[in-house]
C-alpha cells in the first residue's frame, strides 16, 4: 500500500502550543509501535453474524444530550438512549409519559450537555444495574435502568452553575457526586460579579442512591470556597469513605478565566470525608438552605413519569465541621482526578503541568494526623504539598487530562496536546509505552477502569478532532473513537469507529453482567397506566367537553379502532395507544399528520 503523506499539526490549548509530526503509513515500524493497524487487527475486532460482542460501551453524546451504546470490539452501534434531549424514534420528550423527565425549575428544558456516564458498582465492581450521567448545562443528573436501557429518573442539582464533576459513584453506589463547575452566590442573591471573592461559593452535592430502587435524593451539600470544580473521583478500598474533586481558579477571578485563572503554580484537589459528613448530619450540623429544583421519576408500572418540586437542601459548612474537608495542592489547573484500584494513589493531571502528580492517601491521612498544614482557604485547611506527594511521572507528554487503570498496576493517561495515550507503572512512575491518537484525545476508557476491579483488555480513546479519518461530510465531520488492545506489553490500535455527538467520557462493562437481566417485554396484566386499554374489545372514544380521549390498541401492525369520527374543530384530542404485543422485539409507531409537541 502506498504510504500516506506525513502531516504537521500545530495545536494550541489552554495557553500552550506545541508542534508535532504524525507519520501515517502501513509500514512494519508503525505496527511495532502500535501507531498503525497490525496485520491481524481485523480478525481481533470481527464479530461473526449472530454473535455477541464481549463488552458494552456507553459513550456520552455531549451536545446531543444522549448516551450511545456500542459493542466492543466490533464498534457496532446498538442503541441511542435519549436522556436530556427529545427523540422522535422513541417518542421520548414528545409523549405525556416522558415529558416530566425533562422538567426543571426553569420549565421544560429538552436539551443538555451530557458528559460522564458512570455505571453502578457493588463492592467496587461494576454490576450492570444502572448507569448515571450528568447534564452539564442546566445542572442535572439522570439514571438509566439497564434492564430496559431507558431513562427512569432525572434530578436537578440546586446551588450550582454547571455540573461537570459529576456523576461519580462510591464503590457500593451509596452516593453520587455532583460538583458545581462555577461558584455562585449561595443562597442565591443579586450581587456584583466583582464581589466574587466575598460572595461566591462552590456547592459539592452528595446524592444518596437507594440500594434497592436506585432512587436519588440530594442528601447534603458541602459549601466550599469560591473555587471552580472540574472533575471528581471516589475512594476505593483503603480510601473508601472519601471523595476527591479537582478544582481551579484558586486566584478567585471572574473574567478571562483561561488566562486569569492560570496564574498560580498550584490549585487544589478537595478531599471530602463523606462518612464524617454523615456523622455531622446525625449530630444536627446540617443547615436547611432554600433551594428550587425538580425531581422526576419514571414508573414502569404506570409507564409514566411524574415531577416533584423540591424547596430545601441540607448544607454542611466546613469551618463548622472539623475534619470534613482538606485541600491538597496540585499543579497546575488540574483537570482529571483519578483514584487507582487499590485506593492508595490519587492521580492529578495538571493541564498546564509538565508532569503527572500522584498524591498518596496514606500520606494524606498522616499529614492530617500530624497537622501538616500550609494555611487555609475559606476555612478549609490546606495540606503541605510535600507531605501528601506519592510520586511524579516525569515529562510523560503534553496536556495530561484523564487516567484509567488496568488490573495489573498500570495506568493509562490521555494527553490532549501531544495526541497520545501513555501507559505508566504505579509505584515506579515509569513510562512503559505510548501510542498516538487521531486526533486531540480528551477522555479515555478502560472497561471497569475507574472501579476497584478493572476488566481491562481494551482502552478506548475519545478524540476531539477527526479531520481525515473518514469520508468528508462537509464542514462538520463525525467524532472518532479508537479501540486499542492493552492486555499485552504494548498497546495496539485495532479500530476507528464514528460516534454520536461529541463524546466526553465513556464506560465499558462485560456483556455477561447485563444480558441476563435484560427485559424483553412488559406483561399486560401488570400495566397500571391510567389510560391502559387491555384488549381490542375495550377500545373506545370518550368525549369530555372539548377533550376527546381515544383508547386505542395496536398489535401486529394494525390499530383498533382504525376509523375515528366525531371530532370537532377546537377539540383537544388525546390518543392513548396500548401495544398489546407480547412478543419480543415487535415495536409499533403511531403518528398524526401535523401534530406538534404541544
Amino acid at each position: 500500500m502506498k504510504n500516506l503523506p506525513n502531516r504537521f499539526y500545530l495545536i494550541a490549548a489552554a495557553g500552550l502550543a506545541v508542534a508535532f509530526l504524525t507519520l501515517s503509513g502501513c509500514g512494519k515500524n508503525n505496527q511495532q509501535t502500535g501507531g498503525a493497524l497490525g496485520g491481524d487487527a481485523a480478525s481481533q475486532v470481527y464479530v461473526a453474524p449472530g454473535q455477541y460482542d464481549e463488552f458494552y460501551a456507553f459513550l456520552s453524546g455531549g451536545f446531543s444530550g444522549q448516551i450511545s451504546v456500542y459493542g466492543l470490539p466490533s464498534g457496532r452501534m446498538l442503541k441511542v438512549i435519549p436522556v436530556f434531549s427529545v427523540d422522535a424514534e422513541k417518542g421520548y420528550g414528545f409523549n405525556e409519559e416522558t415529558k416530566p423527565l425533562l422538567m426543571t425549575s426553569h420549565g421544560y428544558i429538552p436539551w443538555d450537555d451530557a458528559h460522564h456516564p458512570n455505571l453502578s458498582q457493588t463492592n467496587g465492581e461494576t454490576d450492570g444495574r444502572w448507569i448515571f450521567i450528568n447534564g452539564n448545562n442546566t445542572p442535572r443528573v439522570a439514571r438509566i435502568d439497564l434492564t430496559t436501557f431507558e431513562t427512569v429518573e432525572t434530578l436537578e442539582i440546586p446551588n450550582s452553575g454547571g455540573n461537570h464533576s459529576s456523576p461519580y459513584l462510591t464503590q457500593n453506589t451509596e452516593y453520587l457526586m455532583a460538583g458545581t463547575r462555577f461558584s455562585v452566590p449561595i443562597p442565591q442573591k443579586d450581587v456584583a460579579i466583582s464581589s466574587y471573592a466575598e460572595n461566591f461559593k462552590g456547592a459539592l452535592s452528595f446524592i444518596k442512591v437507594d440500594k434497592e430502587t436506585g432512587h436519588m435524593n440530594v442528601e447534603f451539600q458541602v459549601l466550599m470556597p469560591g473555587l471552580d470544580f472540574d472533575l471528581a473521583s471516589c475512594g476505593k478500598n483503603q480510601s473508601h469513605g472519601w471523595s476527591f474533586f479537582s478544582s481551579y481558579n484558586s486566584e478567585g477571578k471572574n473574567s478571562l478565566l483561561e488566562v486569569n485563572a492560570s496564574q498560580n503554580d498550584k490549585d487544589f484537589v478537595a478531599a471530602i470525608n463523606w462518612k464524617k459528613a454523615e456523622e455531622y448530619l446525625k449530630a444536627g450540623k446540617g443547615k436547611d438552605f432554600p433551594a428550587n429544583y425538580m425531581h422526576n421519576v419514571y414508573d414502569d408500572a404506570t409507564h409514566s413519569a411524574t415531577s416533584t418540586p423540591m424547596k430545601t437542601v441540607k448544607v454542611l459548612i466546613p469551618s463548622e465541621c472539623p475534619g470534613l474537608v482538606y485541600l491538597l495542592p496540585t499543579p497546575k489547573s488540574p483537570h482529571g482526578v483519578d483514584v487507582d484500584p487499590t485506593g492508595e494513589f490519587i492521580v492529578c493531571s495538571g493541564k498546564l503541568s509538565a508532569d503527572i502528580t500522584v498524591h498518596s492517601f496514606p500520606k494524606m491521612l498522616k499529614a492530617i494526623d500530624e497537622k501538616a498544614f500550609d494555611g487555609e482557604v475559606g476555612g478549609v485547611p490546606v495540606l503541605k504539598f510535600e507531605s501528601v506527594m506519592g510520586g511524579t511521572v516525569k515529562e510523560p507528554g503534553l496536556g495530561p487530562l484523564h487516567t484509567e487503570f488496568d488490573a495489573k498496576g498500570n495506568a493509562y493517561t490521555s494527553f490532549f496536546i501531544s495526541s497520545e495515550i501513555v501507559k505508566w507503572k504505579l509505584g515506579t512512575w515509569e513510562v512503559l509505552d505510548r501510542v498516538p491518537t487521531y486526533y486531540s484525545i480528551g477522555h479515555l476508557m478502560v472497561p471497569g477502569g475507574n472501579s476497584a476491579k478493572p476488566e481491562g483488555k481494551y482502552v478506548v480513546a475519545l478524540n476531539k478532532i477527526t479531520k481525515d479519518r473518514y469520508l468528508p461530510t462537509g464542514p462538520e465531520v463525525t467524532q472518532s473513537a479508537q479501540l486499542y488492545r492493552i492486555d499485552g506489553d504494548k498497546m495496539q490500535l485495532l479500530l476507528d469507529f464514528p460516534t454520536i455527538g461529541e463524546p466526553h467520557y465513556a464506560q465499558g462493562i462485560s456483556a455477561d453482567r447485563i444480558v441476563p437481566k435484560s427485559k424483553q417485554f412488559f406483561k399486560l396484566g401488570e400495566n397500571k397506566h391510567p389510560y391502559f386499554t387491555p384488549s381490542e374489545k375495550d377500545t373506545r372514544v370518550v368525549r369530555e367537553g372539548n377533550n376527546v380521549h381515544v383508547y386505542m390498541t395496536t398489535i401486529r401492525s394494525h390499530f383498533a379502532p382504525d376509523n375515528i369520527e366525531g371530532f370537532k374543530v377546537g377539540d383537544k384530542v388525546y390518543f392513548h395507544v396500548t401495544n398489546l404485543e407480547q412478543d419480543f422485539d415487535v415495536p409499533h409507531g403511531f403518528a398524526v399528520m401535523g401534530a406538534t409537541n404541544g
Side-chain angles (χ1 to χ4, degrees):
M1 180 182 289
K2 184 175 73 173
N3 284 343
L4 299 176
N6 297 336
R7 298 183 180 88
F8 186 80
Y9 295 98
L10 182 66
I11 297 178
L16 292 181
V18 61
F20 62 95
L21 187 66
T22 298
L23 302 176
S24 298
C26 298
K28 291 182 180 180
N29 289 338
N30 279 345
Q31 292 182 25
Q32 292 171 355
T33 62
L37 294 180
D40 65 342
S43 65
Q44 293 186 59
V45 301
Y46 178 70
V47 178
Q51 299 299 307
Y52 289 171
D53 279 280
E54 184 179 359
F55 292 92
Y56 286 97
F58 298 88
L59 278 62
S60 67
F63 300 143
S64 77
Q66 302 165 329
I67 292 176
S68 52
V69 187
Y70 296 82
L72 297 181
S74 74
R76 298 180 298 193
M77 191 179 78
L78 306 176
K79 186 169 186 175
V80 173
I81 304 172
V83 184
F84 300 118
S85 61
V86 297
D87 188 323
E89 177 191 359
K90 303 166 188 71
Y92 185 88
F94 290 94
N95 58 38
E96 301 304 314
E97 287 78 5
T98 57
K99 283 182 182 178
L101 289 168
L102 296 170
M103 289 301 296
T104 74
S105 60
H106 307 282
Y108 178 75
I109 306 293
W111 174 85
D112 217 311
D113 185 16
H115 272 226
H116 306 128
N118 268 264
L119 288 156
S120 57
Q121 297 183 23
T122 301
N123 296 324
E125 188 171 2
T126 55
D127 58 24
R129 299 178 70 191
W130 309 301
I131 191 165
F132 301 81
I133 193 166
N134 61 320
N136 187 36
N137 187 66
T138 303
R140 287 177 276 185
V141 292
R143 177 173 59 91
I144 293 88
D145 184 342
L146 292 181
T147 67
T148 60
F149 280 59
E150 293 179 351
T151 302
V152 293
E153 187 174 13
T154 56
L155 176 64
E156 192 177 359
I157 309 300
N159 297 327
S160 295
N163 176 39
H164 196 251
S165 47
S166 168
Y168 295 92
L169 297 164
T170 56
Q171 69 178 22
N172 286 299
T173 320
E174 299 98 336
Y175 287 99
L176 174 158
M177 310 293 132
T180 186
R181 182 63 180 267
F182 304 106
S183 290
V184 296
I186 300 173
Q188 287 289 310
K189 54 186 174 181
D190 186 8
V191 297
I193 196 169
S194 59
S195 69
Y196 182 96
E198 297 79 26
N199 289 313
F200 285 61
K201 303 292 182 184
L204 303 182
S205 300
F206 287 72
I207 297 166
K208 191 79 171 176
V209 180
D210 186 276
K211 64 180 180 180
E212 299 299 330
T213 66
H215 288 174
M216 300 181 290
N217 175 63
V218 182
E219 192 77 358
F220 64 94
Q221 294 183 320
V222 178
L223 195 63
M224 294 292 290
L227 303 168
D228 294 339
F229 294 91
D230 208 348
L231 284 162
S233 187
C234 294
K236 305 174 180 72
N237 293 318
Q238 62 181 285
S239 55
H240 178 56
W242 291 77
S243 58
F244 305 91
F245 293 81
S246 65
S247 70
Y248 61 101
N249 197 19
S250 55
E251 298 84 355
K253 301 300 182 181
N254 57 70
S255 65
L256 295 175
L257 296 186
E258 295 84 354
V259 176
N260 292 329
S262 302
Q263 300 302 307
N264 293 340
D265 286 336
K266 292 183 177 65
D267 288 286
F268 301 109
V269 166
I272 313 285
N273 187 337
W274 58 261
K275 288 192 174 181
K276 187 168 285 292
E278 291 179 329
E279 296 174 7
Y280 280 123
L281 289 172
K282 289 180 181 177
K285 290 288 189 178
K287 299 180 183 295
D288 288 320
F289 273 39
N292 185 24
Y293 60 105
M294 297 295 288
H295 184 199
N296 313 312
V297 179
Y298 187 87
D299 183 358
D300 270 342
T302 62
H303 299 278
S304 301
T306 55
S307 296
T308 304
M310 312 296 287
K311 296 300 181 184
T312 61
V313 64
K314 289 283 185 187
V315 173
L316 293 174
I317 299 174
S319 61
E320 300 175 6
C321 303
L324 176 62
V325 189
Y326 298 93
L327 295 177
L328 284 60
T330 303
K332 169 167 181 168
S333 293
H335 190 51
V337 53
D338 303 286
V339 179
D340 86 297
T342 70
E344 179 180 357
F345 297 118
I346 305 151
V347 181
C348 308
S349 296
K351 291 183 291 185
L352 306 181
S353 174
D355 303 324
I356 297 175
T357 298
V358 183
H359 295 309
S360 163
F361 179 73
K363 287 186 177 181
M364 185 193 85
L365 293 183
K366 183 180 179 185
I368 292 169
D369 186 57
E370 295 177 351
K371 294 184 170 51
F373 300 146
D374 190 14
E376 63 175 41
V377 174
V380 179
V382 178
L383 296 171
K384 290 182 178 179
F385 178 67
E386 296 78 11
S387 68
V388 297
M389 272 287 294
T392 303
V393 184
K394 291 289 187 181
E395 300 182 356
L398 293 172
L401 295 183
H402 306 280
T403 301
E404 296 260 302
F405 307 92
D406 63 20
K408 302 175 182 179
N410 300 312
Y412 302 79
T413 299
S414 60
F415 287 83
F416 175 77
I417 297 177
S418 51
S419 284
E420 59 185 333
I421 297 173
V422 174
K423 176 182 177 181
W424 51 276
K425 193 72 176 177
L426 288 158
T428 68
W429 324 120
E430 173 191 6
V431 172
L432 302 176
D433 191 23
R434 63 179 70 238
V435 289
T437 61
Y438 304 98
Y439 307 97
S440 299
I441 182 176
H443 280 271
L444 75 172
M445 179 274 284
V446 174
N450 73 333
S451 73
K453 299 176 182 178
E455 295 188 78
K457 191 168 184 178
Y458 301 111
V459 63
V460 176
L462 302 168
N463 302 320
K464 300 294 186 184
I465 297 172
T466 308
K467 289 191 180 294
D468 51 8
R469 300 300 286 182
Y470 304 107
L471 288 171
T473 54
E476 186 172 358
V477 295
T478 183
Q479 305 298 320
S480 172
Q482 294 185 294
L483 179 72
Y484 299 78
R485 190 152 186 170
I486 61 171
D487 51 354
D489 290 336
K490 297 293 184 180
M491 295 178 279
Q492 181 189 13
L493 175 60
L494 300 180
L495 180 70
D496 283 22
F497 59 96
T499 62
I500 299 293
E502 183 206 358
H504 289 261
Y505 187 40
Q507 288 269 273
I509 184 172
S510 57
D512 57 11
R513 300 185 188 185
I514 291 179
V515 170
K517 306 170 188 174
S518 188
K519 185 171 288 189
Q520 295 188 338
F521 59 87
F522 294 94
K523 295 179 181 179
L524 289 173
E526 297 175 356
N527 193 324
K528 297 181 181 179
H529 192 288
Y531 295 101
F532 169 56
T533 306
S535 67
E536 284 194 15
K537 65 181 179 61
D538 298 301
T539 61
R540 61 201 185 277
V541 177
V542 178
R543 175 174 289 278
E544 298 174 354
N546 288 333
N547 292 333
V548 180
H549 295 268
V550 179
Y551 293 79
M552 178 180 286
T553 63
T554 182
I555 187 169
R556 293 297 182 185
S557 302
H558 77 272
F559 296 96
D562 59 356
N563 286 284
I564 308 169
E565 297 179 304
F567 295 160
K568 300 177 182 178
V569 174
D571 283 348
K572 181 176 285 187
V573 181
Y574 297 88
F575 291 88
H576 310 291
V577 183
T578 301
N579 182 5
L580 297 180
E581 199 67 62
Q582 291 292 276
D583 193 5
F584 180 43
D585 194 29
V586 187
H588 297 275
F590 177 81
V592 176
M593 184 176 69
T596 62
N597 183 24

